[in-house]
Amino acid sequence: MVRIGLTGGIASGKTLVADELGRLGARVIDADVLARQVVEPGSVGLQEIITRFGGDVLRSDGSLDRARLGEIVFGDREAREDLNAIIHPRVRAEARRLEELAQDDDVVVHVIPLLVETGQHDDFDAVMVVDVPVALQIERLTRRNDLTLEQARTRVAAQASRSQRVAAATWVVDNSGDPEGTRAMLRELWNGPIAAM
């Protein structure tokens, strides 16, 4: 089994890369998807979030208001650490469970936005970093998430820097251009260095 950690800054295009790797044959385990699952209504994770942050982080249907919670934690390091302490252990446990279902010859890609920040980059056979300039991250965030420039800058600043992520990379995937160019780069990696592992 080949285990690859896939990371990148917010709005760098990790989903595009993960989707293409999945199409090429990788078994993709996405921490963002798992993070939503472990805080579904009725879960212990959601109850712990309510206990820590209050009922204002819920929508009227009882689900987590991720945008509201984001407003709180991206501007407050202690709050962000508290949230991570609730979510990360549950996500890691579920990721381990899913990996155990993989076959010996599978390529398992773990999509972990905070791979470098949480010190997990040494836990994988290789690390793939999706990279774009900070200005492009901010532009995408303001458009995609309807954030102000200040909100977008705060979210980018809350993560590891580009240089920190690149320093941990086995491969850097430049996703600042045409998506087809990114897909072509991934096909080359898949058929070359990844196939050779």
Side-chain angles (χ1 to χ4, degrees):
M1 181 188 303
V2 175
R3 301 175 69 250
I4 297 173
L6 171 62
T7 194
I10 190 168
S12 61
K14 294 180 294 296
T15 301
L16 169 74
V17 171
D19 288 350
E20 181 63 16
L21 289 171
R23 194 190 67 71
L24 290 167
R27 180 182 289 263
V28 177
I29 300 172
D30 191 329
D32 270 350
V33 172
L34 300 181
R36 285 190 284 277
Q37 291 174 355
V38 301
V39 295
E40 287 178 345
S43 67
V44 174
L46 183 59
Q47 188 53 54
E48 286 189 20
I49 288 173
I50 295 166
T51 300
R52 167 59 178 88
F53 296 99
D56 289 346
V57 297
L58 294 180
R59 293 190 175 107
S60 59
D61 66 359
S63 65
L64 182 63
D65 186 337
R66 294 172 62 88
R68 173 71 186 114
L69 186 59
E71 289 171 13
I72 296 168
V73 302
F74 279 107
D76 182 336
R77 182 182 183 135
E78 184 178 330
R80 193 165 57 250
E81 288 173 356
D82 289 347
L83 178 63
N84 290 342
I86 293 167
I87 292 178
H88 287 178
R90 290 175 170 82
V91 168
R92 288 181 186 170
E94 182 61 10
R96 278 192 301 273
R97 186 190 73 77
L98 292 172
E99 185 177 284
E100 287 171 3
L101 302 174
Q103 304 300 310
D104 288 344
D105 60 348
D106 279 346
V107 174
V108 180
V109 174
H110 287 263
V111 185
I112 306 175
L114 302 179
L115 181 79
V116 173
E117 294 86 337
T118 56
Q120 296 178 75
H121 50 283
D122 291 331
D123 298 342
F124 294 90
D125 299 314
V127 172
M128 185 179 292
V129 172
V130 186
D131 185 55
V132 298
V134 170
L136 184 53
Q137 284 179 273
I138 290 170
E139 177 191 321
R140 288 177 178 175
L141 271 174
T142 55
R143 189 175 58 235
R144 180 187 80 184
N145 296 46
D146 198 28
L147 300 178
T148 66
L149 278 174
E150 187 55 37
Q151 288 171 321
R153 287 188 185 112
T154 298
R155 293 188 183 200
V156 170
Q159 295 185 328
S161 68
R162 285 179 78 191
S163 61
Q164 288 170 317
R165 282 190 297 271
V166 168
T170 309
W171 308 295
V172 176
V173 175
D174 179 357
N175 190 37
S176 58
D178 180 351
E180 190 45 49
T182 301
R183 292 185 185 100
M185 188 183 318
L186 291 168
R187 287 192 294 271
E188 287 179 18
L189 285 171
W190 182 262
N191 293 316
I194 294 174
M197 294 182 80

